[in-house]
Amino acid sequence: MEISALLTSAGINISICIVLLSLYSILRKQPANYCVYFGRRLVCGGARRYDPFWYERFVPSPSWLVKAWETSEDELLAAAGLDAVVFLRMVIFSIRIFFIVAVICIAFVLPVNYYGQPMVHKEIHLESSEVFTIENLKEGSKWLWVHCLALYIITSAACLLLYFEYSTIAKMRLGHITGCASKPSQFTVLIRAIPWSSEQSYSDTLSKFFTNYYSSSYVSHQMVYHNGIIQRLLRDAERMCQTLKHVSPEINCKPSLRPCTFCGGPTATSSFHILSNEADSVKGMELGELTMTTTTTEQERSAAFVFFKTRYDALVVSEVLQSSNPMLWVTDLAPEPHDVYWKNLNIPYRQLWIRKIATLVGAVAFMFVFLIPVTFIQGLTQLVQLSHAFPFLRGILSKNFINQVITGYLPSVILILFFYAVPPLMMYFSALEGCISRSIRKKSACIKVLYFTIWNVFFVNILSGSVIRQLNVFSSVRDIPAQLARAVPTQAGFFMTYCFTSGWASLACEIMQPMALIWNLVAKVVTKNEDESYETLRFPYHTEIPRLLLFGLLGFTNSVIAPLILPFLLIYFFLAYLIYKNQILNVYITKYESGGQYWPIFHNTTIFSLILTQIIALGFFGLKLSTVASGFTIPLILLTLLFSEYCRQRFAPIFNKNPAQVLIDMDRADEISGKMEELHKKLHNVYSQIPLHSQKSSSKAECSNPFKKQELPDPEKLKPEEGDAIAKELWGFQGNESGQEHDTKS
């Protein structure tokens, strides 16, 4: 690929980014778009707003970047939880390591590649991208030691940073466990595969079992019921209640005169009668009565939540095999109430292994089906080679600008459009596996999307590009390093254009939220819906972590092979840090989290990227007949594997299990302070399948927000001159008492 095609793709994507970021800085100031760009703050802060007309609302300003930069990690942890902090630490790690890699490789490796052979160089924009790769070095070059030394420095820096990050995040996870002392999940065990008996119900069987074997620690249990018609009706009624709650009594509940449908005369009408107190609709019904009346008519399932006196008792029960038949009395630590995926608790446990095999087969089949569009995309990048077999392509290639757009910009755009179908499908596969919690489902989808992305974007592109270029495909395992070394430099141009499109442009689309913006526009303009209720979003870890790791893989594998990609990747990571931080603070809300369990995925994938980089470099050193560089690369691979195993033994168990020492200390502290009895009283009603208003209001109160008293949109501080005190009072969000009174009336 020529540098001119790369510059064309870069120019198009830079223009898209500038336009979208400028539009965002204007649209976020418009009062009608607050529910799109400040959803999390509106939900957590409970603030109201005024809508003044001020000219600065229509002027782009970058102060939201300053606000995102100034927000500390403690504020982020209080606002969005541990998963958000871990994700941003992934981005910070990428910035640090690729800053080191870019400095070393741009300063030393790139000049060696460019001047590797005696030749007359053209102007930069007319050069081929392969001139900047290691392919430009002649065989037996004495300058290959520069690449070997750079490889050692990159690996050492990456391992050192990984160790410190793993250690820090492990401490954060332990702090997350101890900091949530009132979590009911620490006292609760999920029991599945309860044996069926014709003489008694599942509840009686479970009560008899735990009274017999765990009489000293067993407290009570809550059965799981089939999702029947009553629960569906309750959900529909809840949606209707949420809709009616926002109707203004002053406007919509006054009697009015409307023409009669039959005679045309005026008819007195009245809107809904809105109760002054929401509790009036369920007068005389206690929480237990409402739960029993709705669930006793439903069918019990072979699963239940069992509550124990201490956290340590629950931990022991969850880890011990309960029966001589491992398919009965299966125990796991229960997820948080908001994290429970109730639908999958109805699945019989004996079906789970079949479901996992079926989803694995489906995911692999989809990966092979995806070979078709990837091969077509590679054909677009290799039109010069294909023109020898298809002469009609020469007319298209004769037009310079069209050639640059087709070969430089279009392939990455088409690949991204096809990839939009991947995350929803992988999330569906993860749900079919039978995950018991939403966080586990999202983590499973993240792993599937990661494998799919690395396979199709990296390996399939290399393989299909080699076939089109009529290179030898892998004939044996021994040839893999050499074949990868031949193929990776030829795809350096495509990887750079993919960085522009999937990296820069995707970040600009992420901050713009185009789908939410269009939906909000349709609701406000087309349907004339003035309701201020809206659905908050969850952060898409299952799509953003694989994208981050893919760019890390491309950065490592191209570092000593084709280092020209490194500055563009560094720009992407800087933008990702600011944009994702802004979105986490303003848009996405956290209702459940995994407790930092995404970090082992990031760590293991980074180690894989390092080892793959070393294998590719080993193959290239062999192709260039440098036995010294090849000999020094083999110990580096072994040392990286040893480091990975040490981290797996030292830190990984903390992310898989809760330490008994920490839980026992928490139990003793609660017993001394007298909080244990109070915690036991709250356990039974927390895991109710039927969401009641009292539970929802308490969960909403748990939404932490360090910006609660802050005006919105604070980053812009859209105020007039200091002398204009009247407009200064009008602008911004004000959490006034009238808003609270209005909510009470509703």
Side-chain angles (χ1 to χ4, degrees):
M1 183 179 292
E2 293 183 356
I3 297 297
S4 58
L6 291 177
L7 294 177
T8 302
S9 178
I12 294 173
N13 286 282
I14 289 172
S15 302
I16 292 173
C17 290
I18 292 174
V19 170
L20 291 181
L21 292 177
S22 300
L23 280 175
Y24 166 74
S25 66
I26 295 174
L27 292 175
R28 72 192 299 268
K29 304 172 192 175
Q30 312 310 313
N33 297 327
Y34 287 161
C35 58
V36 177
Y37 298 118
F38 295 100
R40 197 198 70 83
R41 291 196 183 186
L42 288 171
V43 170
C44 295
R48 289 175 60 84
R49 65 171 182 254
Y50 292 99
D51 302 340
F53 183 83
W54 196 252
Y55 73 94
E56 290 186 14
R57 280 170 44 186
F58 305 96
V59 178
S61 58
S63 56
W64 62 272
L65 294 170
V66 178
K67 181 59 183 175
W69 177 266
E70 291 177 349
T71 304
S72 65
E73 190 175 87
D74 293 335
E75 292 176 335
L76 189 70
L77 182 63
L82 183 58
D83 282 347
V85 174
V86 169
F87 176 76
L88 284 178
R89 290 191 78 94
M90 295 177 188
V91 182
I92 293 172
F93 168 84
S94 302
I95 293 173
R96 289 171 177 170
I97 185 60
F98 283 106
F99 178 78
I100 297 172
V101 174
V103 169
I104 294 172
C105 294
I106 297 298
F108 301 102
V109 176
L110 188 63
V112 171
N113 291 344
Y114 188 69
Y115 296 104
Q117 290 186 7
M119 58 182 297
V120 177
H121 289 284
K122 307 175 185 177
E123 296 182 9
I124 295 295
H125 67 279
L126 297 177
E127 292 278 13
S128 172
S129 60
E130 296 179 1
V131 176
F132 298 91
T133 67
I134 199 174
E135 267 195 345
N136 200 41
L137 286 175
K138 60 183 179 180
E139 293 184 0
S141 174
K142 62 180 181 179
W143 291 104
L144 285 171
W145 66 268
V146 176
H147 299 76
C148 185
L149 181 61
L151 196 62
Y152 264 86
I153 296 174
I154 292 168
T155 304
S156 302
C159 291
L160 190 64
L161 290 174
L162 280 174
Y163 177 81
F164 285 118
E165 288 293 334
Y166 218 152
S167 176
T168 302
I169 294 173
K171 293 177 182 177
M172 287 184 178
R173 176 168 170 79
L174 293 176
H176 173 75
I177 296 173
T178 57
C180 302
S182 60
K183 276 192 173 183
S185 61
Q186 296 177 348
F187 296 87
T188 311
V189 173
L190 175 63
I191 307 292
R192 289 181 290 175
I194 302 172
W196 181 81
S197 174
S198 58
E199 300 176 356
Q200 55 188 359
S201 64
Y202 283 120
S203 179
D204 295 335
T205 302
L206 185 143
S207 180
K208 183 178 179 180
F209 179 86
F210 280 95
T211 304
N212 186 22
Y213 294 104
Y214 296 96
S215 58
S216 61
S217 59
Y218 170 69
V219 175
S220 63
H221 68 274
Q222 171 67 49
M223 294 302 299
V224 175
Y225 296 90
H226 179 66
N227 290 325
I229 187 171
I230 293 180
Q231 288 175 309
R232 289 196 295 270
L233 289 173
L234 282 173
R235 283 195 295 268
D236 293 339
E238 181 188 357
R239 294 192 187 101
M240 182 63 70
C241 178
Q242 292 295 326
T243 302
L244 295 179
K245 189 172 70 173
H246 295 276
V247 178
S248 176
E250 292 80 3
I251 298 176
N252 297 322
C253 292
K254 293 181 180 180
S256 59
L257 293 177
R258 292 188 180 181
C260 178
T261 306
F262 300 101
C263 64
T267 304
T269 62
S270 180
S271 184
F272 295 103
H273 174 63
I274 300 178
L275 299 176
S276 60
N277 189 356
E278 192 167 339
D280 293 343
S281 60
V282 287
K283 279 185 177 179
M285 299 188 69
E286 298 293 334
L287 178 63
E289 294 179 19
L290 184 58
T291 304
M292 289 300 297
T293 55
T294 53
T295 56
T296 50
T297 57
E298 302 294 330
Q299 182 183 2
E300 287 182 348
R301 312 303 290 175
S302 61
F305 293 95
V306 182
F307 311 109
F308 294 88
K309 292 182 178 179
T310 63
R311 299 174 180 86
Y312 179 71
D313 293 333
L315 178 66
V316 171
V317 173
S318 66
E319 296 293 337
V320 174
L321 191 65
Q322 303 297 326
S323 170
S324 58
N325 184 358
M327 298 292 287
L328 296 176
W329 300 105
V330 181
T331 57
D332 293 289
L333 274 178
E336 283 300 304
H338 294 291
D339 195 16
V340 177
Y341 196 55
W342 293 99
K343 183 180 179 181
N344 280 355
L345 297 186
N346 296 321
I347 300 173
Y349 183 78
R350 61 181 177 272
Q351 293 182 6
L352 294 184
W353 67 276
I354 303 176
R355 285 171 169 264
K356 291 180 180 179
I357 294 175
T359 54
L360 177 62
V361 172
V364 172
F366 183 64
M367 290 174 68
F368 281 102
V369 170
F370 212 78
L371 291 173
I372 299 173
V374 175
T375 305
F376 170 74
I377 290 164
Q378 271 301 311
L380 292 178
T381 63
Q382 309 290 339
L383 285 181
V384 177
Q385 284 75 21
L386 292 176
S387 63
H388 300 293
F390 303 98
F392 68 90
L393 293 175
R394 295 174 185 174
I396 299 175
L397 297 177
S398 61
K399 300 177 181 179
N400 193 23
F401 179 75
I402 296 177
N403 180 24
Q404 293 173 2
V405 171
I406 292 177
T407 60
Y409 177 71
L410 198 59
S412 57
V413 173
I414 296 175
L415 184 60
I416 290 171
L417 292 177
F418 276 106
F419 259 100
Y420 277 121
V422 176
L425 184 61
M426 295 304 170
M427 185 68 82
Y428 177 71
F429 283 156
S430 299
L432 287 180
E433 286 180 345
C435 299
I436 62 174
S437 68
R438 300 179 186 276
S439 59
I440 295 176
R441 180 186 62 161
K442 186 169 282 190
K443 179 184 173 184
S444 176
C446 175
I447 295 173
K448 291 181 177 64
V449 174
L450 175 63
Y451 290 161
F452 188 91
T453 304
I454 291 178
W455 167 252
N456 282 283
V457 176
F458 188 78
F459 289 103
V460 174
N461 270 294
I462 288 175
L463 180 65
S464 57
S466 300
V467 171
I468 293 174
R469 286 174 171 262
Q470 298 179 352
L471 299 175
N472 294 326
V473 189
F474 308 145
S475 56
S476 66
V477 178
R478 295 177 57 185
D479 295 335
I480 290 178
Q483 294 296 334
L484 286 174
R486 289 191 186 98
V488 170
T490 62
Q491 298 299 318
F494 172 76
F495 291 148
M496 277 187 273
T497 60
Y498 189 80
C499 173
F500 300 149
T501 308
S502 179
W504 298 359
S506 294
L507 285 176
C509 290
E510 162 65 27
I511 201 168
M512 271 291 294
Q513 294 289 314
M515 296 304 298
L517 190 65
I518 293 172
W519 179 258
N520 181 61
L521 181 65
V522 170
K524 295 290 177 64
V525 178
V526 179
T527 63
K528 304 295 183 182
N529 183 11
E530 299 297 333
D531 188 8
E532 294 297 333
S533 61
Y534 44 84
E535 292 292 332
T536 53
L537 302 175
R538 313 288 178 268
F539 191 84
Y541 294 106
H542 63 296
T543 61
E544 304 310 316
I545 291 178
R547 180 181 285 118
L548 198 69
L549 288 169
L550 173 65
F551 286 128
L553 174 70
L554 297 180
F556 282 119
T557 52
N558 287 278
S559 57
V560 296
I561 303 287
L564 198 61
I565 194 176
L566 296 174
F568 308 119
L569 284 177
L570 201 57
I571 293 172
Y572 164 76
F573 290 126
F574 271 114
L575 282 175
Y577 175 74
L578 296 173
I579 289 176
Y580 286 136
K581 199 172 185 180
N582 176 79
Q583 297 298 90
I584 290 171
L585 290 172
N586 296 321
V587 178
Y588 297 109
I589 191 169
T590 303
K591 279 195 174 180
Y592 56 86
E593 60 176 341
S594 66
Q597 291 188 1
Y598 290 106
W599 178 259
I601 301 174
F602 182 86
H603 176 88
N604 295 334
T605 308
T606 304
I607 293 294
F608 169 77
S609 302
L610 288 172
I611 294 175
L612 182 62
T613 302
Q614 295 157 6
I615 292 174
I616 294 173
L618 179 65
F620 228 105
F621 293 151
L623 291 176
K624 297 298 181 180
L625 305 178
S626 178
T627 55
V628 176
S630 300
F632 275 99
T633 306
I634 295 174
L636 186 62
I637 298 175
L638 299 177
L639 290 174
T640 307
L641 290 173
L642 287 175
F643 170 78
S644 175
E645 181 62 21
Y646 171 77
C647 289
R648 191 180 68 85
Q649 298 290 338
R650 171 63 180 85
F651 299 115
I654 298 175
F655 292 83
N656 298 326
K657 299 178 181 179
N658 294 337
Q661 178 185 6
V662 174
L663 298 182
I664 292 173
D665 291 339
M666 294 170 66
D667 289 333
R668 290 174 178 173
D670 286 340
E671 289 174 356
I672 293 173
S673 62
K675 294 180 180 178
M676 195 64 78
E677 293 296 330
E678 182 182 353
L679 292 173
H680 290 165
K681 293 178 182 178
K682 297 179 180 179
L683 288 177
H684 184 75
N685 293 327
V686 169
Y687 283 94
S688 175
Q689 269 180 277
I690 304 171
L692 298 177
H693 174 70
S694 59
Q695 296 175 2
K696 287 207 161 192
S697 60
S698 63
S699 65
K700 186 175 179 179
E702 293 174 359
C703 181
S704 56
N705 182 17
F707 308 97
K708 195 167 184 177
K709 302 297 183 182
Q710 184 177 339
E711 287 185 357
L712 290 179
D714 178 77
E716 302 302 332
K717 297 188 180 298
L718 293 178
K719 300 176 181 179
E721 297 297 330
E722 297 179 357
D724 195 348
I726 298 177
K728 188 175 182 180
E729 292 177 357
L730 287 176
W731 178 249
F733 277 55
Q734 296 181 0
N736 52 15
E737 297 177 357
S738 62
Q740 298 175 0
E741 293 175 359
H742 174 73
D743 292 339
T744 305
K745 290 180 181 178
S746 300

